[in-house]
Amino acid sequence: MPSSTSSTSTAHAISPDSGTHWSAEGAWRVAEGIHRIPLPLPMDGLKAINVYVIETPDGLTLIDGGWAITEARELLDRCLREVGYGFGDIRRFLVTHVHRDHFTLATVLGREYGAEVALGLGEKPALELLNDENLDRNPFADVLVTAGAREVADQWVAAQTDEKPDLSLWAFPTTWLDGDHRIEVGHRTIDAVHTPGHTPGHFVFAEQQEGVLFAGDHVLPTITPSIGFTVPPPATLPLGDFMASLAKVRALPDLRILPAHGPVSPSSHQRVDELLAFHEHRLDLSLVSLAGGARTAHVVAQELPWTRHDRAYTELDLFSQGMASMETKAHLELLVAQGRATRTEDADGVIFTAAP
């Protein structure tokens, strides 16, 4: 949503492993025994998700799986065959988080071919909600109402189809990842690091000997991941969680970033520093807005610039307006936790006021 401090846009980024646009088709070698395969995201501004393939003597481990759509499945099959493998060689998926472009193709292929699917334990409430037979409304509507965006919530609900989630895409994983720990992947030892923020159960995977960080959506090289847009119940302080997780990754050695979206990038330390500075600036801008009086997150969002082009809130599409309101609420809640603002609740949502 909001622009980051990266000087290169996602739309024009060249990845050093391929020498071409980062979303170009192929199984691109990023290190010995590791390939990056971009899979398509139709109707999504990000264009693609990078799935990473790690070769081992016993078969393949994939970091993320892609979105369970025909185009992505066929492309993954084709690219795996380019490097001498097929779906039957996949032994395990290490999924960074529960969003559909990371999780759903992993769970489909895992079920079909008997591969392990590992996911962070913090994602369990989201899967429980999606598998609830009584789910009959958009689960984000109440979150938008608390952000003061009732009109946006009503439009989201009106745009929702009557179709239930396809539960074949949202099966529970075979393994829950719980807390920081190490995973043996062939001859490699990978550090599974819990990094809540973008989602409660987000994990990154660090292979320190190779010097790479499978960063999921936690550290993206050209954009900032959305904060506050998670399946209810929402985290109390998602931005606080995210910034603490960034600090945790900053404490690791400086690693090459292998992101879910965007090009392979040289320095996790540099990018983490940029992301932390970016959100500190957004906090300051949010506080400036509160200096004008008590406001909901929806009102503050309308006073902030959005995307790398500093667009006005009114220039955003309906979905992005809802995302902006939820992300702004995450910033305002952190200001309250820091003692820089106060909050009260009424029928119009949570009202935030600058602290004296």
Side-chain angles (χ1 to χ4, degrees), residues 6 8-16 18 20-24 221-222 262-265:
S6 173
T8 303
S9 70
T10 308
H12 299 97
I14 303 299
S15 194
S18 64
T20 187
H21 192 272
W22 71 271
S23 66
T222 58
V264 173
S265 297

Side-chain angles (χ1 to χ4, degrees), residues 136-161 229 298 313 317-326 347-349:
D136 59 359
R137 67 193 302 267
N138 190 313
F140 295 102
D142 292 340
V143 181
L144 284 167
V145 170
T146 66
R150 185 177 296 276
E151 183 177 340
V152 175
D154 291 342
Q155 293 180 69
W156 275 31
V157 170
Q160 182 179 350
T161 68
F229 178 62
H298 180 59
Y313 178 90
D317 59 60
L318 177 63
F319 177 73
S320 296
Q321 288 180 348
M323 296 269 285
S325 295
M326 288 187 280
D348 294 326

Side-chain angles (χ1 to χ4, degrees), residues 124-137 139 163-167 170 172 231-232:
K124 188 175 182 181
L127 284 178
E128 289 175 337
L129 180 64
L130 290 168
N131 281 275
D132 185 351
E133 295 180 356
N134 297 316
L135 180 64
D136 59 359
R137 67 193 302 267
E163 295 181 9
K164 295 281 188 178
D166 183 350
L167 298 186
W170 300 103
F172 288 89
V231 176

Side-chain angles (χ1 to χ4, degrees), residues 45-63:
L46 291 174
K47 302 300 183 186
I49 173 176
N50 294 316
V51 169
Y52 295 91
V53 178
I54 305 175
E55 300 175 70
T56 81
D58 298 324
L60 304 177
T61 290
L62 270 61
I63 308 293

Side-chain angles (χ1 to χ4, degrees), residues 61-95:
T61 290
L62 270 61
I63 308 293
D64 286 332
W67 183 7
I69 54 176
T70 300
E71 302 97 309
R73 179 177 178 135
E74 291 178 349
L75 182 55
L76 180 60
D77 180 46
R78 188 159 66 246
C79 289
L80 285 177
R81 292 185 185 282
E82 284 183 15
V83 289
Y85 297 101
F87 289 153
D89 296 305
I90 301 173
R91 300 290 178 263
R92 174 166 51 188
F93 289 92
L94 297 175
V95 182

